[in-house]
Structure formats: structure tokens, C-alpha cells
Amino acid sequence: MDLSYILNHLGEERETYRGAVSPPIFQSSIFAFPTVAAFRAAFRDELRHTTYTRGNNPTVEILRRKIAALEGAEDCLMFGSGAAAIAAGVLASVGAGDHVVCVHKPYSWTRTLLRDLLARFGVTHTFVDGTEVANFEHALTPATRLIVLESPNSMTFEMQDLAAVARLARARGIRTLCDNSYASPLNQSPLALGIDLVAHSATKYLNGHSDVVAGALCGSAAIIREVFRGPYMTCGAILSPHDAWLMIRGLRTLPLRMQRIAASTERVLAFLQGHPRVARVYYPQAAANPQFALAQAQLRGASGLLTLELRADDIAAVERFCDALTRFLMTVSWGGYESLAFPVAAVHPAEAPLRPPGALPLTLVRLSIGLEEPEVLIADLDRAFAAM
Ligand SMILES: *Cc1c(COP(=O)(O)O)cnc(C)c1O
């Protein structure tokens, strides 16, 4: 299946909605049946039929089919956030007494899920530096049921050798889940490397327009059915039909956005590298990345999220840099059409639990490169450096 077929046509049964090129928003909570027999058949398989929108909805199903195809998955479930997708994948995979191994700098709420929420229900965990495969092996216990990966992660872009970790896990009957938000399905296919579940914050590149919070979870039909019967239906963190429709629209330009973002990021990176105010640039494809070889082998292309370590005398200089930016909007999140800046220093010390461990320097500023002309972004950064 080619990419444009997936994005422009897959799942869209235009003949059933009078040829409409853009699919309808099935803004209905319930779907009625003409006979008891038809009702019974739908009830028996709520994942495949449309009975109630907490289970399935035709607009959401179009999106599920497209994202499953992009990930090379048999099936996909959409959620109201990336955090919900990750939580559902984890909740479906473990129970009291089980143990989870997770990379030590995952997305902050993935860490909180394991450390604070699941710990209350008797699920134990070990956080490991995922840059060495042996660290996973050493952390396993007879109770380990799940390994949670995020490659690259979204602040310092550490990677895991996904094929090697998947081999290790499969040999022991341990399930693996990988957060693939950074790479997007275009640049990395964890399922093809042997990973069992792929999660996305679809809020980021998949939607790409900073107007929807959404999550996706992809895997085999059997595991997705297990997730559906478990946390999907019981916790009910679904994506609304309207948000699914916005996502279908956002997704149509994913390849174009990613191409533009990768090209602009290369230009911005060239400006930043060697700049006297930049102590270090974190980026998978940066030549100085200690995992550069793995990035070349495992990623098909580049993303637009990178982190600068500023050469600043104090935090006030970091603040002056960020406050001077006019084209980069200062906020959380990433992956939209617009460029963003996220200073680690904005996280209040009282919120330290949200900050990644290993005491990240407060001089880090993460940039998400958007669709602007790269010269405009470089000029903005240049102005901000001058204001330091
Ligand atoms: C944003 C993000 C999440 C959480 O997704 P939400 O859609 O905000 O719930 C998970 N993982 C990564 C890497 C993220 O950047």
C-alpha cells in the first residue's frame, strides 16, 4: 500500500456517503439496528461494528485504519491523548505482582504512571539507561511482563536498539511497548523490528496542527482486542468523532510536513552548531551524538525536535534568550506547523518530579521546528542570542 493511498483513500468508503470527498463526521453516540439478530451480532464484536461511540465510530475507524497502515500494524485504537494510549497499553499488559522495565527518561507522565499510579496497585518497576541493551537484561526479574521504550525520547533523544531489545524480550515471553512519537511512523517502524505495541502522542506530528490532543496504540489484532476489552472500554478515554476528523485532515499532509521540517531543521542545526552561545546541541542526527550510528541505522529520516544547551552565565541569560524569541512560541508540546521553544528552566523547582532525572541542566532549551521559512527562524534565534 503506497503512502498517498493510505492518506488519501484508505478507510474512506465514499460510495456510502454520496461521494463526499471529505468524510462525514459521524457525530452520533449510538447506532440503531433493524432487528434483534443484527443488534446481537454487533454486540458480539463491538470493535468491528458500530454500536456505541465509546467502542467504535465510523469517523474514528477511518483514522484507526490509516494509522494502523502507517505503522504496519494489524489494528490501532485511538485515544483522547497520548498519555491515555500509553496507559492503556501498560494496563492491558500487567497486573498485581508484575514487574515493568522502563527507560529512565521517558515522557514525564509515563514515568509517573509507573512510579506513582501503578505502584499503588502492586506493579513494580525498574528504570534503566536504555542506551545499553545489557541494562535491560540485568533489570529483568522472573516477574517482568513488560518493557517500556521511548526511542528517541523527547528531550535528549536517547535511543534504544529496538530489534535487540525486542529479541531479548520475545525470547522470555515479555511484551514490549515503544513510544514512537518523535520519529513518527514515517521515520521508524518499531513493529517491523519485533516490538509488540507502538504508542503515539498523535497530538504531535500525526495531527501536526496544535488543535487536537490525541493518542494512538498499534499492534497485532490479538493484543489490540485485549486492550479494547480491557482499559479501552473500561477507562473510556476515547477520541471524539470531531477530533478524529480534524486528525484525518492533519494526517493528509504528514509526509509534506515532515520533509519541510527535516530540511529546515538541517539549516537551523548548521546555524546552531559552532555558535559561541551554544554549548551543545542534542539531536539524533547530529554528528556529535554518541548514538549517531544507531540513529543512522534505525531512523529513516529526521524530525524537527532538538535541544540546545546554552552557554549562559546564569538562568537570567537563558530567560533573556527565550523572552527575545518572537517567531518561536514559548510553550509545552511540539510537532505542530509552528515553531516552539521550551526552556527547561520554566519548570518550577517544586515540579521537580516532572523533570527528567539525572539533573538536566537548566540551560537547556528545546526547539520544535515548524513550517516557517528557515531564514526567519535563524534570524529569530540570532536576535535572541544577541539579547543574552
Ligand atoms: C506529548 C508526549 C506524550 C503524551 O501525549 P499527550 O498527547 O500529551 O497525552 C507521550 N510521549 C511523548 C514522547 C510526548 O512527547
Side-chain angles (χ1 to χ4, degrees):
M1 225 183 305
D2 59 84
L3 194 51
S4 61
Y5 179 78
I6 295 171
L7 299 174
N8 296 358
H9 303 295
L10 180 68
E12 301 182 65
E13 296 163 358
R14 296 192 171 101
E15 65 287 358
T16 68
Y17 20 86
R18 308 176 86 176
V21 169
S22 170
I25 305 171
F26 283 86
Q27 193 69 41
S28 186
S29 58
I30 46 179
F31 300 84
F33 302 93
T35 62
V36 173
F39 193 2
R40 188 183 295 128
F43 241 155
R44 199 174 296 140
D45 190 359
E46 283 194 84
L47 179 59
R48 302 273 163 251
H49 293 84
T50 43
T51 311
Y52 190 48
T53 283
R54 176 155 45 78
N56 196 17
N57 172 282
T59 310
V60 178
E61 192 179 299
I62 295 170
L63 182 59
R64 285 176 47 207
R65 291 187 58 188
K66 288 183 191 294
I67 294 181
L70 289 175
E71 279 294 355
E74 287 175 356
D75 208 347
C76 165
L77 287 171
M78 293 306 302
F79 293 84
S81 70
I86 294 163
V90 173
L91 286 170
S93 305
V94 298
D98 290 344
H99 174 250
V100 181
V101 176
C102 179
V103 288
H104 69 157
K105 295 178 195 169
Y107 179 66
S108 51
W109 295 104
T110 302
R111 190 170 60 246
T112 308
L113 168 74
L114 295 172
R115 192 192 57 195
D116 300 344
L117 187 62
L118 283 180
R120 285 171 41 207
F121 299 96
V123 178
T124 57
H125 60 269
T126 306
F127 292 115
V128 298
D129 175 351
T131 58
E132 295 291 338
V133 178
N135 293 344
F136 289 99
E137 199 160 7
H138 294 147
L140 299 179
T141 77
T144 307
R145 292 285 167 275
L146 178 69
I147 299 178
V148 176
L149 307 167
E150 188 177 313
S151 184
N153 68 10
S154 63
M155 185 57 87
T156 47
F157 318 116
E158 285 157 25
M159 304 184 66
Q160 300 96 56
D161 181 335
L162 297 180
V165 178
R167 263 196 309 278
L168 183 95
R170 288 227 164 151
R172 293 163 177 78
I174 297 167
R175 187 174 287 178
T176 46
L177 180 154
C178 181
D179 184 329
N180 200 28
S181 306
Y182 180 91
S184 94
L186 299 188
N187 289 334
Q188 181 168 264
S189 304
L191 298 176
L193 299 174
I195 298 296
D196 297 309
L197 280 169
V198 169
H200 278 280
S201 170
T203 313
K204 315 292 165 55
Y205 287 131
L206 290 178
N207 182 56
H209 291 73
S210 301
D211 50 12
V212 172
V213 175
L217 190 68
C218 302
S220 69
I223 299 182
I224 291 299
R225 191 168 283 282
E226 195 185 308
V227 176
F228 178 78
R229 290 215 180 102
Y232 187 83
M233 284 303 274
T234 56
C235 299
I238 62 161
L239 190 67
S240 76
H242 184 254
D243 283 351
W245 185 87
L246 283 168
M247 270 217 61
I248 291 166
R249 185 166 76 161
L251 200 59
R252 301 217 198 261
T253 55
L254 178 67
L256 288 173
R257 288 186 283 110
M258 293 308 285
Q259 273 164 28
R260 166 77 174 197
I261 285 169
S264 297
T265 303
E266 205 178 319
R267 297 270 306 276
V268 171
L269 203 65
F271 167 72
L272 294 172
Q273 280 169 337
H275 192 285
R277 283 296 193 177
V278 177
R280 180 173 172 186
V281 179
Y282 294 84
Y283 188 62
Q285 284 87 357
N289 176 12
Q291 292 187 292
F292 180 74
L294 180 60
Q296 295 295 20
Q298 200 161 266
L299 295 169
R300 286 188 291 269
S303 297
L305 197 62
L306 60 113
T307 299
L308 310 180
E309 187 177 337
L310 291 172
R311 189 165 279 131
D313 300 329
D314 48 23
I315 299 308
V318 176
E319 292 188 21
R320 283 194 296 275
F321 171 81
C322 291
D323 295 355
L325 292 167
T326 60
R327 302 303 287 264
F328 286 84
L329 301 177
M330 195 176 6
T331 183
V332 295
S333 195
W334 50 273
Y337 63 91
E338 76 294 16
S339 291
L340 303 176
F342 173 75
V344 168
V347 182
H348 193 273
E351 298 290 317
L354 285 180
R355 290 237 308 271
L360 275 184
L362 290 171
T363 50
L364 295 187
V365 179
R366 187 180 70 186
L367 300 179
S368 176
I369 304 301
L371 303 178
E372 302 89 343
E373 300 80 355
E375 314 82 65
V376 166
L377 299 177
I378 290 168
D380 200 29
L381 291 166
D382 204 26
R383 245 188 330 267
F385 283 132
M388 281 176 76

